[in-house]
Amino acid sequence: MAELNLVEAVNQALAHALEHDPAVVLLGEDIGANGGVFRATLGLQQRFGAERVIDTPLAETAIAGTAVGMAAMGLKPVAEIQFSGFLYPALDHLINHASRLRNRSRGRLSCPLVLRTPCGAGIHAPEHHSESPEAMLAHVPGLRVVMPSSPARAYGLLLAAIRDPDPVIFLEPTRLYRLFRQDVADDGEALPLDVCFTLRGGTDLTLVSWGAMIHETEAAADALAAEGVMAEVIDLATLKPLDMATILESVARTGRCVIVHEAARTAGLGAEIAAGLAEEGLYSLLAPVQRVTGYDTVIPLARLEQQYLPSVARIVAAARRTLEEAS
Protein backbone atom coordinates (compact mmCIF):
# COMPACT_ATOMS: atom_id res chain seq x y z
CA MET A 1 0.00 0.00 0.00
CA ALA A 2 1.45 3.34 -1.05
CA GLU A 3 1.51 6.46 1.08
CA LEU A 4 0.10 9.19 -1.16
CA ASN A 5 -0.88 12.81 -1.02
CA LEU A 6 -4.24 13.84 -2.45
CA VAL A 7 -3.07 14.72 -5.96
CA GLU A 8 -1.20 11.41 -6.19
CA ALA A 9 -4.35 9.60 -5.08
CA VAL A 10 -6.30 11.32 -7.86
CA ASN A 11 -3.63 10.20 -10.33
CA GLN A 12 -3.83 6.64 -9.02
CA ALA A 13 -7.63 6.55 -9.34
CA LEU A 14 -7.47 7.89 -12.90
CA ALA A 15 -4.85 5.30 -13.83
CA HIS A 16 -6.96 2.51 -12.36
CA ALA A 17 -10.04 3.67 -14.26
CA LEU A 18 -8.14 3.95 -17.55
CA GLU A 19 -6.60 0.51 -17.10
CA HIS A 20 -9.83 -1.31 -16.25
CA ASP A 21 -12.46 0.50 -18.35
CA PRO A 22 -11.78 1.16 -22.06
CA ALA A 23 -14.64 3.69 -22.15
CA VAL A 24 -12.77 6.10 -19.83
CA VAL A 25 -11.02 9.02 -21.54
CA LEU A 26 -9.40 12.10 -20.01
CA LEU A 27 -9.39 15.56 -21.57
CA GLY A 28 -8.23 19.01 -20.53
CA GLU A 29 -5.66 21.72 -20.97
CA ASP A 30 -2.07 20.50 -20.62
CA ILE A 31 -3.10 17.19 -19.02
CA GLY A 32 -0.99 15.11 -21.43
CA ALA A 33 2.73 15.82 -21.78
CA ASN A 34 2.70 18.26 -18.85
CA GLY A 35 0.56 16.09 -16.58
CA GLY A 36 -1.80 18.93 -15.69
CA VAL A 37 -1.21 22.18 -13.86
CA PHE A 38 -0.99 20.32 -10.52
CA ARG A 39 0.38 17.09 -12.11
CA ALA A 40 -2.80 15.13 -11.36
CA THR A 41 -2.46 13.35 -14.72
CA LEU A 42 1.32 12.99 -14.67
CA GLY A 43 2.51 10.07 -16.80
CA LEU A 44 -0.96 8.97 -17.90
CA GLN A 45 -0.65 10.03 -21.55
CA GLN A 46 2.69 8.23 -21.84
CA ARG A 47 1.09 5.11 -20.33
CA PHE A 48 -2.32 5.08 -22.06
CA GLY A 49 -1.74 7.11 -25.24
CA ALA A 50 -2.84 10.44 -26.66
CA GLU A 51 -6.21 9.06 -27.80
CA ARG A 52 -7.28 8.39 -24.19
CA VAL A 53 -5.48 11.27 -22.44
CA ILE A 54 -6.28 14.21 -24.68
CA ASP A 55 -4.67 17.65 -24.57
CA THR A 56 -7.22 20.30 -25.49
CA PRO A 57 -7.02 23.99 -26.35
CA LEU A 58 -7.38 26.57 -23.58
CA ALA A 59 -11.16 26.61 -23.98
CA GLU A 60 -13.35 25.54 -21.05
CA THR A 61 -16.56 25.76 -23.09
CA ALA A 62 -15.12 23.36 -25.65
CA ILE A 63 -13.87 20.96 -22.96
CA ALA A 64 -17.30 20.72 -21.34
CA GLY A 65 -19.18 20.51 -24.64
CA THR A 66 -16.86 17.81 -25.95
CA ALA A 67 -17.25 15.86 -22.72
CA VAL A 68 -21.06 16.00 -22.97
CA GLY A 69 -20.91 14.70 -26.53
CA MET A 70 -18.50 11.91 -25.59
CA ALA A 71 -20.73 10.86 -22.68
CA ALA A 72 -23.87 10.85 -24.83
CA MET A 73 -22.11 8.53 -27.28
CA GLY A 74 -21.12 5.95 -24.66
CA LEU A 75 -17.71 7.08 -23.42
CA LYS A 76 -16.90 8.03 -19.82
CA PRO A 77 -15.03 11.34 -20.12
CA VAL A 78 -13.16 12.80 -17.16
CA ALA A 79 -12.58 16.46 -17.97
CA GLU A 80 -10.20 18.75 -16.09
CA ILE A 81 -10.69 22.49 -15.66
CA GLN A 82 -7.42 23.95 -14.40
CA PHE A 83 -9.00 26.13 -11.68
CA SER A 84 -12.63 26.42 -10.61
CA GLY A 85 -12.47 30.17 -11.28
CA PHE A 86 -12.30 29.29 -14.96
CA LEU A 87 -15.27 26.93 -14.72
CA TYR A 88 -17.89 29.56 -15.57
CA PRO A 89 -17.58 29.38 -19.40
CA ALA A 90 -18.34 25.64 -19.05
CA LEU A 91 -21.57 26.19 -17.09
CA ASP A 92 -23.71 26.49 -20.23
CA HIS A 93 -22.95 22.89 -21.18
CA LEU A 94 -23.17 21.63 -17.60
CA ILE A 95 -26.48 23.32 -16.80
CA ASN A 96 -28.24 23.19 -20.15
CA HIS A 97 -27.04 19.82 -21.41
CA ALA A 98 -25.13 17.53 -19.01
CA SER A 99 -27.58 17.88 -16.13
CA ARG A 100 -30.68 17.53 -18.35
CA LEU A 101 -29.74 14.79 -20.79
CA ARG A 102 -31.45 11.96 -18.89
CA ASN A 103 -34.63 14.00 -18.40
CA ARG A 104 -34.60 15.43 -21.93
CA SER A 105 -34.29 12.00 -23.54
CA ARG A 106 -36.80 10.39 -21.12
CA GLY A 107 -34.06 8.09 -19.87
CA ARG A 108 -32.82 7.03 -23.31
CA LEU A 109 -29.50 8.80 -22.79
CA SER A 110 -27.39 9.42 -19.71
CA CYS A 111 -24.36 11.64 -19.27
CA PRO A 112 -21.66 9.74 -17.35
CA LEU A 113 -19.09 12.51 -17.30
CA VAL A 114 -16.89 13.68 -14.45
CA LEU A 115 -15.64 17.24 -14.40
CA ARG A 116 -12.66 17.66 -12.07
CA THR A 117 -11.39 21.03 -10.92
CA PRO A 118 -9.23 22.36 -8.09
CA CYS A 119 -11.06 24.70 -5.73
CA GLY A 120 -10.69 26.77 -2.61
CA ALA A 121 -8.25 29.20 -1.08
CA GLY A 122 -5.08 28.83 0.93
CA ILE A 123 -2.25 28.60 -1.62
CA HIS A 124 -1.63 32.34 -2.17
CA ALA A 125 -2.98 32.19 -5.70
CA PRO A 126 -4.05 35.15 -7.86
CA GLU A 127 -7.67 36.13 -8.55
CA HIS A 128 -9.92 33.43 -10.07
CA HIS A 129 -7.70 30.63 -8.68
CA SER A 130 -9.30 30.23 -5.21
CA GLU A 131 -13.04 30.02 -5.87
CA SER A 132 -15.48 27.92 -3.81
CA PRO A 133 -18.42 27.42 -6.21
CA GLU A 134 -19.98 24.36 -4.57
CA ALA A 135 -23.29 26.01 -3.59
CA MET A 136 -23.84 27.36 -7.10
CA LEU A 137 -23.19 23.93 -8.62
CA ALA A 138 -25.29 22.13 -6.01
CA HIS A 139 -28.25 24.31 -6.97
CA VAL A 140 -28.39 22.73 -10.45
CA PRO A 141 -30.82 19.78 -10.63
CA GLY A 142 -29.13 16.79 -12.22
CA LEU A 143 -25.57 17.56 -11.11
CA ARG A 144 -23.94 15.55 -8.33
CA VAL A 145 -21.25 17.53 -6.45
CA VAL A 146 -18.45 15.76 -4.57
CA MET A 147 -15.49 17.15 -2.60
CA PRO A 148 -12.94 14.82 -0.91
CA SER A 149 -11.00 15.82 2.19
CA SER A 150 -8.24 13.20 2.24
CA PRO A 151 -6.17 11.11 -0.21
CA ALA A 152 -8.07 7.88 0.56
CA ARG A 153 -11.45 9.54 0.08
CA ALA A 154 -10.23 11.21 -3.11
CA TYR A 155 -9.26 7.81 -4.55
CA GLY A 156 -12.49 6.03 -3.59
CA LEU A 157 -14.87 8.86 -4.39
CA LEU A 158 -13.29 9.59 -7.77
CA LEU A 159 -13.66 5.95 -8.80
CA ALA A 160 -17.30 6.07 -7.70
CA ALA A 161 -17.82 9.29 -9.67
CA ILE A 162 -16.35 7.77 -12.84
CA ARG A 163 -18.63 4.72 -12.49
CA ASP A 164 -21.74 6.84 -11.90
CA PRO A 165 -24.11 6.98 -14.90
CA ASP A 166 -24.86 10.68 -14.41
CA PRO A 167 -22.70 13.85 -14.35
CA VAL A 168 -20.50 14.46 -11.32
CA ILE A 169 -18.61 17.65 -10.48
CA PHE A 170 -15.51 16.58 -8.54
CA LEU A 171 -14.07 19.52 -6.60
CA GLU A 172 -10.51 18.98 -5.38
CA PRO A 173 -9.36 21.30 -2.55
CA THR A 174 -6.12 22.81 -3.83
CA ARG A 175 -4.84 23.38 -0.31
CA LEU A 176 -4.96 19.63 0.35
CA TYR A 177 -3.15 18.48 -2.79
CA ARG A 178 0.18 18.14 -1.02
CA LEU A 179 -0.73 18.93 2.60
CA PHE A 180 -0.33 15.40 4.00
CA ARG A 181 0.02 11.75 3.04
CA GLN A 182 -1.84 8.62 4.03
CA ASP A 183 -1.97 4.98 2.96
CA VAL A 184 -4.12 4.48 -0.14
CA ALA A 185 -4.67 0.96 -1.45
CA ASP A 186 -4.85 0.73 -5.25
CA ASP A 187 -7.55 -1.92 -5.03
CA GLY A 188 -10.22 -0.31 -7.22
CA GLU A 189 -12.63 -0.06 -4.30
CA ALA A 190 -14.99 2.88 -4.65
CA LEU A 191 -16.39 4.73 -1.67
CA PRO A 192 -20.13 5.34 -1.52
CA LEU A 193 -21.48 8.57 -2.94
CA ASP A 194 -24.33 10.49 -1.33
CA VAL A 195 -23.36 9.67 2.25
CA CYS A 196 -21.49 11.61 4.93
CA PHE A 197 -18.45 10.23 6.72
CA THR A 198 -18.42 10.54 10.49
CA LEU A 199 -14.75 11.12 11.29
CA ARG A 200 -15.02 11.09 15.07
CA GLY A 201 -17.79 10.49 17.55
CA GLY A 202 -18.99 12.94 20.18
CA THR A 203 -21.85 13.63 22.54
CA ASP A 204 -21.85 17.39 23.16
CA LEU A 205 -21.79 19.03 19.75
CA THR A 206 -21.88 18.22 16.03
CA LEU A 207 -19.36 19.90 13.72
CA VAL A 208 -20.21 19.64 10.01
CA SER A 209 -17.76 20.58 7.26
CA TRP A 210 -16.21 19.40 3.99
CA GLY A 211 -13.13 19.75 1.81
CA ALA A 212 -10.10 21.55 3.18
CA MET A 213 -11.98 23.00 6.14
CA ILE A 214 -12.27 19.52 7.64
CA HIS A 215 -8.75 19.99 8.95
CA GLU A 216 -9.47 23.19 10.87
CA THR A 217 -12.68 21.54 12.08
CA GLU A 218 -10.84 18.50 13.42
CA ALA A 219 -8.26 20.79 15.06
CA ALA A 220 -11.13 22.66 16.70
CA ALA A 221 -12.56 19.34 17.92
CA ASP A 222 -9.16 18.56 19.45
CA ALA A 223 -9.13 21.94 21.21
CA LEU A 224 -12.65 21.40 22.53
CA ALA A 225 -11.73 17.91 23.74
CA ALA A 226 -8.96 19.47 25.83
CA GLU A 227 -11.74 21.45 27.55
CA GLY A 228 -13.81 18.32 28.09
CA VAL A 229 -16.23 18.94 25.20
CA MET A 230 -16.72 15.93 22.92
CA ALA A 231 -17.50 17.09 19.40
CA GLU A 232 -18.68 14.79 16.63
CA VAL A 233 -17.10 15.65 13.25
CA ILE A 234 -18.98 14.94 10.02
CA ASP A 235 -17.42 15.23 6.56
CA LEU A 236 -20.17 15.79 3.98
CA ALA A 237 -18.01 14.47 1.08
CA THR A 238 -21.00 14.46 -1.32
CA LEU A 239 -22.44 17.96 -1.22
CA LYS A 240 -25.33 17.21 -3.58
CA PRO A 241 -27.39 15.18 -2.88
CA LEU A 242 -26.99 15.97 0.80
CA ASP A 243 -27.10 13.19 3.38
CA MET A 244 -29.25 15.02 5.94
CA ALA A 245 -30.18 11.77 7.66
CA THR A 246 -26.67 11.38 9.12
CA ILE A 247 -26.60 15.01 10.28
CA LEU A 248 -30.05 14.77 11.85
CA GLU A 249 -29.14 11.56 13.64
CA SER A 250 -26.01 13.18 15.06
CA VAL A 251 -27.80 16.35 16.18
CA ALA A 252 -30.54 14.24 17.77
CA ARG A 253 -27.83 12.93 20.11
CA THR A 254 -25.75 16.11 20.64
CA GLY A 255 -28.43 18.82 20.43
CA ARG A 256 -26.04 21.36 18.93
CA CYS A 257 -24.55 22.00 15.51
CA VAL A 258 -21.84 24.23 14.04
CA ILE A 259 -21.39 24.25 10.26
CA VAL A 260 -18.01 25.25 8.82
CA HIS A 261 -17.26 26.19 5.22
CA GLU A 262 -14.89 28.52 3.44
CA ALA A 263 -17.33 29.53 0.69
CA ALA A 264 -19.21 32.82 1.02
CA ARG A 265 -21.89 32.85 3.72
CA THR A 266 -25.00 34.03 1.87
CA ALA A 267 -26.96 31.16 0.28
CA GLY A 268 -24.11 28.78 1.04
CA LEU A 269 -24.52 25.09 1.81
CA GLY A 270 -24.41 25.95 5.50
CA ALA A 271 -27.74 27.72 5.07
CA GLU A 272 -29.20 24.63 3.39
CA ILE A 273 -28.06 22.39 6.26
CA ALA A 274 -29.38 24.84 8.86
CA ALA A 275 -32.73 24.93 7.06
CA GLY A 276 -32.85 21.13 7.03
CA LEU A 277 -32.22 21.08 10.78
CA ALA A 278 -34.98 23.66 11.31
CA GLU A 279 -37.44 21.67 9.21
CA GLU A 280 -36.74 18.17 10.52
CA GLY A 281 -34.62 18.48 13.66
CA LEU A 282 -35.85 21.57 15.45
CA TYR A 283 -36.99 19.71 18.57
CA SER A 284 -33.56 18.11 18.93
CA LEU A 285 -31.77 21.45 19.07
CA LEU A 286 -30.74 22.82 22.45
CA ALA A 287 -29.23 25.97 20.93
CA PRO A 288 -29.34 27.88 17.62
CA VAL A 289 -27.30 26.45 14.76
CA GLN A 290 -24.06 28.36 14.18
CA ARG A 291 -22.27 28.94 10.87
CA VAL A 292 -18.55 29.70 10.54
CA THR A 293 -17.92 30.67 6.94
CA GLY A 294 -16.00 32.78 4.49
CA TYR A 295 -17.28 36.30 3.87
CA ASP A 296 -19.47 37.74 1.12
CA THR A 297 -16.49 39.14 -0.72
CA VAL A 298 -14.19 38.13 -3.53
CA ILE A 299 -11.67 35.75 -1.98
CA PRO A 300 -8.73 38.03 -1.17
CA LEU A 301 -5.18 37.74 -2.35
CA ALA A 302 -2.40 36.28 -0.23
CA ARG A 303 -2.04 39.11 2.28
CA LEU A 304 -5.60 38.78 3.61
CA GLU A 305 -6.34 35.18 2.67
CA GLN A 306 -6.02 33.81 6.20
CA GLN A 307 -8.33 36.55 7.47
CA TYR A 308 -10.98 35.27 5.07
CA LEU A 309 -10.69 31.56 5.86
CA PRO A 310 -12.44 30.21 8.96
CA SER A 311 -9.84 29.62 11.65
CA VAL A 312 -9.71 27.10 14.48
CA ALA A 313 -10.30 29.97 16.90
CA ARG A 314 -13.50 31.06 15.09
CA ILE A 315 -14.83 27.48 15.09
CA VAL A 316 -14.08 27.00 18.78
CA ALA A 317 -15.73 30.34 19.60
CA ALA A 318 -18.89 29.32 17.72
CA ALA A 319 -18.92 25.99 19.54
CA ARG A 320 -18.63 27.75 22.89
CA ARG A 321 -21.58 30.01 21.98
CA THR A 322 -23.78 27.00 21.34
CA LEU A 323 -22.70 25.40 24.60
CA GLU A 324 -23.30 28.59 26.61
CA GLU A 325 -26.72 29.14 25.07
CA ALA A 326 -27.69 25.58 25.87
CA SER A 327 -26.56 25.67 29.48
Side-chain angles (χ1 to χ4, degrees):
M1 186 182 301
E3 189 176 65
L4 305 178
N5 60 33
L6 195 147
V7 75
E8 291 169 339
V10 168
N11 181 279
Q12 184 167 269
L14 293 172
H16 192 282
L18 285 163
E19 185 171 357
H20 291 85
D21 188 343
V24 174
V25 293
L26 313 186
L27 68 158
E29 303 152 15
D30 296 329
I31 68 164
N34 288 338
V37 65
F38 285 103
R39 304 298 182 260
T41 54
L42 187 67
L44 298 182
Q45 189 181 69
Q46 292 86 343
R47 183 174 169 187
F48 296 100
E51 292 188 351
R52 298 190 67 200
V53 182
I54 303 167
D55 272 321
T56 69
L58 185 64
E60 289 79 7
T61 303
I63 292 170
T66 302
V68 171
M70 286 177 164
M73 292 295 103
L75 295 174
K76 298 178 182 176
V78 183
E80 177 180 297
I81 300 295
Q82 287 192 341
F83 290 91
S84 56
F86 305 139
L87 176 68
Y88 308 120
L91 290 179
D92 178 23
H93 288 294
L94 294 176
I95 295 172
N96 289 320
H97 302 295
S99 68
R100 297 168 184 246
L101 201 54
R102 182 179 291 280
N103 180 70
R104 181 178 293 156
S105 66
R106 303 296 185 266
R108 187 173 60 84
L109 296 175
S110 62
C111 192
L113 74 81
V114 175
L115 191 142
R116 302 177 35 251
T117 185
C119 69
I123 62 166
H124 294 182
E127 188 181 6
H128 297 304
H129 292 67
S130 303
E131 309 290 298
S132 295
E134 62 262 32
M136 177 181 64
L137 294 163
H139 191 68
V140 180
L143 292 184
R144 179 175 272 104
V145 183
V146 177
M147 189 186 299
S149 64
S150 74
R153 281 190 286 283
Y155 177 84
L157 291 171
L158 182 53
L159 284 177
I162 293 170
R163 295 167 186 170
D164 194 272
D166 291 304
V168 178
I169 309 300
F170 198 80
L171 299 171
E172 299 166 5
T174 315
R175 184 156 59 100
L176 300 186
Y177 267 152
R178 292 175 172 82
L179 184 65
F180 68 100
R181 292 179 174 272
Q182 68 179 181
D183 290 337
V184 182
D186 190 14
D187 54 8
E189 290 291 325
L191 288 172
L193 299 174
D194 307 345
V195 298
C196 299
F197 296 89
T198 301
L199 305 185
R200 58 193 291 172
T203 55
D204 301 320
L205 171 73
T206 299
L207 300 175
V208 178
S209 190
W210 53 91
M213 288 313 305
I214 282 291
H215 298 272
E216 281 77 7
T217 303
E218 289 199 292
D222 290 338
L224 291 165
E227 301 175 6
V229 176
M230 306 310 294
E232 187 152 297
V233 177
I234 293 177
D235 176 6
L236 288 192
T238 298
L239 313 185
K240 167 75 176 299
L242 189 59
D243 174 17
M244 273 304 297
T246 297
I247 299 170
L248 286 163
E249 188 276 332
S250 175
V251 173
R253 286 185 289 101
T254 66
R256 307 167 184 89
C257 185
V258 175
I259 305 157
V260 183
H261 63 72
E262 69 175 78
R265 184 180 184 87
T266 299
L269 278 175
E272 179 66 24
I273 296 167
L277 287 169
E279 288 173 344
E280 301 181 57
L282 182 63
Y283 299 115
S284 298
L285 289 170
L286 301 172
V289 174
Q290 297 283 324
R291 287 180 289 162
V292 183
T293 71
Y295 300 103
D296 290 341
T297 68
V298 173
I299 296 172
L301 301 180
R303 193 171 178 182
L304 293 174
E305 195 173 41
Q306 292 305 317
Q307 300 301 315
Y308 172 91
L309 290 169
S311 64
V312 173
R314 285 176 59 194
I315 301 168
V316 169
R320 287 175 180 154
R321 284 196 296 275
T322 68
L323 293 162
E324 289 166 0
E325 293 193 45
S327 60

